[in-house]
Amino acid sequence: MRRDTVCACSTVYKWQKSELNELVPEFLSRRGNSHVLFSGDKKKSDYYYISVTKSFLRMLPENLCDFPFTVSINFTHNKIETLRNFSCVEKLTFLDLSHNRIRDIYKSFFHGLSLLWDVNLSFNEISYIEPGTFNDESLSLNNLDVSHNSILVLDLSNLLLSKTFCNISYAGNKIASFTNKADDPIKYEDNFSEVGFFDLSFNNIDKIPSFEELNLGKGYSFLGKVIFNRFIFQVISNPIVCDCFLEEMLWNLRNVKHTFKTDSDFLGYTCSYPANLQNVSIVKSFVYNNSFDELVCKLPKCPRNCECVFQSSQFRIIIDCTENFNGKALPTFNFTDMVESVKGHSKLQETTIHLQLSGRQVETIDNRSFFPNLSYIDLSNNKVKTVKESFFLELSRVPNIKINFTSNRGVLKLPNGLQLLNPKSVVLNNVTIACDCELMSWFMQWLTSREKDLKGLGITCRVNSYSIPIQNVTDSDLGCSQDQNENFNLVFVIGGFLVFLVIVFFVYSKYGHYFLVFRKCLSRSKQHSSFRYDVYVSIDEENEEVLRYVGTEFLPMLENFSLKTFMLARDSEVGSVMEECMIESMKKSRIYLFFLTSTVLTKSESVFVREWKHAWNNYKSNNTHDIFFINFDLLRLKDISDKNMRACMVFGKSVNFSDFDFEDKIKKSLKRGEVRKQNPKVILTMMSIDLSTV
């Protein structure tokens, strides 16, 4: 039973039918059930064959396993609907079950049949084949015929066999897609047999499957590996779509095109769709001529009255609005929605848009959302009059952009934003533009930088009702006078003033809190006789060291200075709402005194933070309150994140706890009934010193 491993397709069976012992069926009922019998003289061979054709057999003979040395079974043209395991017929080599009514094929049917060589399951009603059935390690199939059945989806494990084979046919099915779902699925690194013929003719295959979706790697390297193994696929009468995805496949296989034969049309490598490429040879027309430009994908979500195609060979999407577009402005569309149908294409990320609007009625050009993807826009032979500033501003950010205004029929009014583009990117041949003094102050220099003869461009200036070649236009033609220069100077002055205001606004928005504290330091606080407290003391109540010092030493010191004090932790009424008590007590206090410690800087929500927010709001809104800090932990300015707190410290509204005259400074700063007006020179000196440490 050995096979010739040199050339599988020329291998013949070691046995001959004339040498085999024949088994004959005995039908047990009209329902088609039977068993087999051996009759006659036994020949020298120990092997058997059975042939029951064109009968009413509905199931396999019941005692088939009693003859494990059966090498050939032919049950063609019967009525068999279901199969059972053949594994017991261990010497089986040839199996013909064609022209029956079999619907399902399972892996267990043939498991262990290492000598099974030819299997014919054609002309049945098979719609399901369990993944991995024919790629079982125990099998060594040479010819497999599953043609003319009802298979819709084919698993790759039943197509690409790991061992040498000759022919596999799934012709005449309804195959439209492929899967890779076997227990041991096909992998990119798998070894396949060398040489094999696959017949997939007369199916519904319209394109090469996505190998990435089948977990076989990106791109078409897997297909290249299959081609390298010299597999031959016949795909006659499949609805092959010759589009951008076919171009992607051919592009990736361009370096192995020698594996295709120029006479391979008999294999069915011809286009069925679109209509303009029907019956065109894929190999002759595309592979060997490298003419991939016709392989495009139509994009359904296209602007109205336009046609959109993805021409992947040129890495571009062509939006052609030259036939029926009647808009006065540029079309609008969503680029992401437009490319939804081709989002899996490997060239999409490098693709740009070519917008073709030649010969239409466009009058106004403005910005559009798809401009970042644009590389070419043809506006030749239109009626463009107005080009918005935003149009050139947006396109100036697009690399290698090209804009064609050739033979425009309107009078172009060009904005200053045109200067942002390279003159070589804008084609203005044979156009008429609206010329004035402002435009001509820069346009000629911009235009001549392209190093072309102005006369050859054919640009005409429209001045009032006259048309003058642009190279002949003078200042007197435009009426550019001294008055206009003066107007220009006035505009320059106004512009400078506006810039100054912007700078002032920026400085104030960033440093306004410093100006506020500085102004209040220069002014004398208004006296307010209704203050109930002289000093409102705020501390981090969770800092035991500060709490002990303030309670035992600091507050008694202030009372010795005849200052009335309030501290929330000590003086708030039991059961009162803390926030309300805080607000009311601050309104009745003249000075807000805060103990700065390293612990308060790490807390975003605390009683201390809320007290500071209310204190600052009261301080900046009227001139009856003041703020003072005691730098208990000797913090540096750069350690303090709150800009308002830092501004107060810059202007000297603080004292360090380590100062040797700490008590005198406190007494002077918190003197009852007065917030002293400070000398401006002293304040500015303090500010310059303290700011240097920020």
Side-chain angles (χ1 to χ4, degrees):
M1 301 290 178
R2 67 179 182 83
R3 65 168 68 189
D4 185 350
T5 57
V6 176
C7 186
C9 294
S10 62
T11 303
V12 296
Y13 302 128
K14 185 176 181 180
W15 49 262
Q16 295 183 11
K17 189 174 181 180
S18 59
E19 299 174 351
L20 301 178
N21 299 300
E22 182 180 9
L23 298 174
V24 296
E26 180 181 46
F27 286 94
L28 304 178
S29 72
R30 293 295 300 174
R31 299 182 62 183
N33 56 327
S34 65
H35 63 197
V36 292
L37 302 172
F38 171 68
S39 61
D41 296 332
K42 188 172 182 180
K43 300 179 180 180
K44 294 181 179 180
S45 171
D46 292 329
Y47 302 115
Y48 301 89
Y49 80 92
I50 181 171
S51 179
V52 183
T53 63
K54 298 181 180 180
S55 186
F56 56 92
L57 194 66
R58 290 182 178 272
M59 58 192 72
L60 299 179
E62 295 177 354
N63 64 336
L64 191 60
C65 289
D66 293 342
F67 300 92
F69 276 43
T70 301
V71 296
S72 175
I73 297 176
N74 183 3
F75 290 152
T76 184
H77 287 88
N78 278 279
K79 299 179 181 180
I80 299 174
E81 295 181 356
T82 58
L83 298 179
R84 67 170 185 265
N85 198 337
F86 283 95
S87 299
C88 59
V89 191
E90 59 187 48
K91 300 298 184 180
L92 185 62
T93 306
F94 176 86
L95 177 64
D96 189 349
L97 295 171
S98 62
H99 295 276
N100 279 280
R101 299 175 181 177
I102 303 168
R103 294 186 178 90
D104 301 316
I105 301 294
Y106 293 95
K107 187 175 181 180
S108 60
F109 289 172
F110 310 109
H111 179 72
L113 297 179
S114 59
L115 301 178
L116 187 59
W117 191 253
D118 290 293
V119 176
N120 189 346
L121 297 169
S122 63
F123 293 97
N124 277 275
E125 299 173 9
I126 299 171
S127 60
Y128 174 75
I129 303 177
E130 183 181 2
T133 295
F134 299 123
N135 203 21
D136 191 289
E137 282 295 324
S138 64
L139 297 179
S140 299
L141 290 175
N142 186 52
N143 295 295
L144 173 65
D145 189 351
V146 200
S147 62
H148 302 285
N149 280 280
S150 301
I151 302 170
L152 296 173
V153 180
L154 180 62
D155 195 88
L156 291 180
S157 60
N158 292 322
L159 181 68
L160 301 175
L161 306 187
S162 59
K163 297 182 180 179
T164 302
F165 67 94
C166 183
N167 296 288
I168 294 178
S169 177
Y170 284 94
N173 278 273
K174 301 176 182 178
I175 299 170
S177 60
F178 298 86
T179 60
N180 190 19
K181 298 181 178 180
D183 294 336
D184 184 17
I186 299 295
K187 297 179 287 295
Y188 176 81
E189 57 272 16
D190 285 348
N191 293 318
F192 302 110
S193 62
E194 291 190 5
V195 184
F197 184 85
F198 300 92
D199 191 353
L200 294 170
S201 301
F202 301 97
N203 278 283
N204 295 325
I205 302 169
D206 59 357
K207 61 181 179 181
I208 301 296
S210 171
F211 297 112
E212 186 173 2
E213 293 177 4
L214 294 172
N215 297 317
L216 292 172
K218 295 183 178 180
Y220 288 87
S221 55
F222 179 78
L223 183 58
K225 181 178 181 180
V226 171
I227 292 175
F228 182 78
N229 280 33
R230 294 173 289 175
F231 289 159
I232 300 174
F233 292 86
Q234 182 166 278
V235 290
I236 295 172
S237 292
N238 277 276
I240 298 176
V241 178
C242 291
D243 60 4
C244 63
F245 288 101
L246 179 63
E247 185 279 330
E248 180 184 32
M249 187 270 287
L250 297 177
W251 172 263
N252 282 282
L253 297 178
R254 64 191 184 278
N255 294 327
V256 292
K257 67 180 182 181
H258 58 277
T259 62
F260 295 93
K261 294 184 178 180
T262 56
D263 59 347
S264 59
D265 289 348
F266 79 94
L267 295 175
Y269 297 161
T270 56
C271 302
S272 295
Y273 300 97
N276 64 306
L277 295 178
Q278 192 171 25
N279 297 322
V280 170
S281 169
I282 294 174
V283 175
K284 292 179 181 178
S285 298
F286 303 125
V287 174
Y288 279 92
N289 294 331
N290 289 325
S291 56
F292 299 146
D293 289 355
E294 293 182 273
L295 299 176
V296 300
C297 288
K298 286 193 174 182
L299 304 177
K301 297 183 179 180
C302 192
R304 186 177 180 182
N305 295 325
C306 299
E307 292 185 359
C308 302
V309 297
F310 176 28
Q311 191 179 41
S312 53
S313 62
Q314 298 295 330
F315 296 87
R316 66 187 179 186
I317 290 173
I318 300 174
I319 303 175
D320 190 350
C321 303
T322 58
E323 293 295 329
N324 302 312
F325 185 77
N326 295 317
K328 303 295 183 182
L330 298 181
T332 59
F333 60 89
N334 186 297
F335 180 76
T336 302
D337 292 343
M338 174 183 285
V339 300
E340 178 68 23
S341 61
V342 294
K343 64 180 182 180
H345 201 289
S346 61
K347 294 184 179 181
L348 184 60
Q349 296 299 320
E350 302 175 60
T351 295
T352 60
I353 294 174
H354 281 223
L355 179 58
Q356 298 178 349
L357 280 162
S358 179
R360 305 317 301 161
Q361 308 297 318
V362 178
E363 296 182 357
T364 302
I365 306 295
D366 54 3
N367 193 16
R368 289 290 184 270
S369 61
F370 59 83
F371 279 4
N373 302 100
L374 191 66
S375 63
Y376 178 73
I377 177 169
D378 186 357
L379 292 164
S380 62
N381 200 26
N382 272 269
K383 296 182 178 180
V384 180
K385 298 177 182 178
T386 304
V387 183
K388 298 294 181 65
E389 192 86 40
S390 59
F391 173 78
F392 291 122
L393 179 62
E394 187 65 31
L395 290 185
S396 66
R397 304 186 181 102
V398 179
N400 303 319
I401 185 67
K402 187 171 183 179
I403 310 166
N404 187 1
F405 285 108
T406 300
S407 301
N408 185 65
R409 291 169 280 149
V411 179
L412 268 173
K413 185 171 179 59
L414 298 173
N416 292 336
L418 177 62
Q419 302 175 80
L420 299 173
L421 272 69
N422 187 327
K424 296 180 181 179
S425 300
V426 185
V427 182
L428 291 168
N429 295 14
N430 301 316
V431 299
T432 300
I433 63 175
C435 296
D436 56 26
C437 297
E438 181 182 359
L439 175 71
M440 297 303 288
S441 65
W442 59 266
F443 182 70
M444 292 298 289
Q445 183 177 359
W446 175 86
L447 193 63
T448 53
S449 64
R450 61 189 294 162
E451 299 178 354
K452 283 192 176 183
D453 182 15
L454 291 180
K455 187 176 181 180
L457 295 177
I459 300 177
T460 301
C461 265
R462 180 64 59 87
V463 182
N464 296 324
S465 59
Y466 299 99
S467 296
I468 308 172
I470 193 167
Q471 64 271 20
N472 298 334
V473 174
T474 63
D475 287 346
S476 59
D477 293 328
L478 300 172
C480 299
S481 63
Q482 184 64 29
D483 293 337
Q484 289 172 316
N485 292 332
E486 292 176 358
N487 291 336
F488 175 78
N489 292 335
L490 179 61
V491 170
F492 179 78
V493 171
I494 295 174
F497 180 70
L498 292 176
V499 171
F500 173 75
L501 291 180
V502 169
I503 294 174
V504 170
F505 176 77
F506 171 78
V507 172
Y508 186 79
S509 63
K510 190 169 184 179
Y511 301 104
H513 50 292
Y514 286 102
F515 292 117
L516 173 65
V517 178
F518 179 69
R519 178 178 58 81
K520 293 179 74 70
C521 287
L522 294 179
S523 61
R524 181 178 297 276
S525 299
K526 297 179 181 178
Q527 301 301 313
H528 202 298
S529 59
S530 63
F531 283 131
R532 182 174 179 179
Y533 306 107
D534 293 299
V535 183
Y536 183 103
V537 180
S538 176
I539 65 172
D540 180 7
E541 297 175 1
E542 297 180 4
N543 190 320
E544 295 183 1
E545 183 180 0
V546 175
L547 185 62
R548 188 184 310 110
Y549 166 73
V550 171
T552 58
E553 298 184 34
F554 187 75
L555 292 180
M557 179 181 71
L558 297 187
E559 291 173 0
N560 290 335
F561 296 158
S562 300
L563 296 174
K564 295 180 180 180
T565 60
F566 179 90
M567 189 170 73
L568 192 64
R570 182 193 67 178
D571 300 320
S572 60
E573 297 182 4
V574 178
S576 63
V577 179
M578 181 182 68
E579 194 79 17
E580 293 180 358
C581 179
M582 181 191 305
I583 294 172
E584 289 300 319
S585 301
M586 281 190 161
K587 288 181 179 179
K588 298 175 183 179
S589 302
R590 178 173 58 87
I591 296 177
Y592 308 127
L593 188 143
F594 293 87
F595 274 78
L596 290 181
T597 61
S598 58
T599 56
V600 300
L601 301 180
T602 60
K603 300 176 181 179
S604 58
E605 291 295 333
S606 63
V607 175
F608 181 91
V609 171
R610 280 182 280 174
E611 287 176 324
W612 164 247
K613 290 180 179 178
H614 290 304
W616 176 256
N617 289 333
N618 290 341
Y619 174 74
K620 72 178 182 178
S621 60
N622 60 70
N623 203 29
T624 59
H625 300 283
D626 202 0
I627 292 177
F628 200 77
F629 296 94
I630 294 179
N631 194 349
F632 191 81
D633 283 349
L634 306 181
L635 302 176
R636 296 173 298 179
L637 282 177
K638 66 178 182 180
D639 297 328
I640 301 172
S641 59
D642 189 287
K643 63 180 183 178
N644 299 324
M645 191 179 293
R646 194 162 58 239
C648 291
M649 297 189 70
V650 165
F651 288 103
K653 290 183 173 294
S654 66
V655 60
N656 289 328
F657 185 68
S658 61
D659 291 350
F660 71 94
D661 54 349
F662 173 76
E663 186 172 335
D664 291 338
K665 288 184 177 180
I666 292 296
K667 184 175 182 180
K668 292 179 181 179
S669 299
L670 305 181
K671 185 177 180 181
R672 181 178 176 83
E674 179 182 350
V675 178
R676 292 176 299 148
K677 181 177 180 179
Q678 300 188 39
N679 189 310
K681 293 183 178 180
V682 174
I683 292 173
L684 290 173
T685 301
M686 290 188 298
M687 182 176 71
S688 63
I689 295 173
D690 291 338
L691 280 176
S692 64
T693 64
V694 175

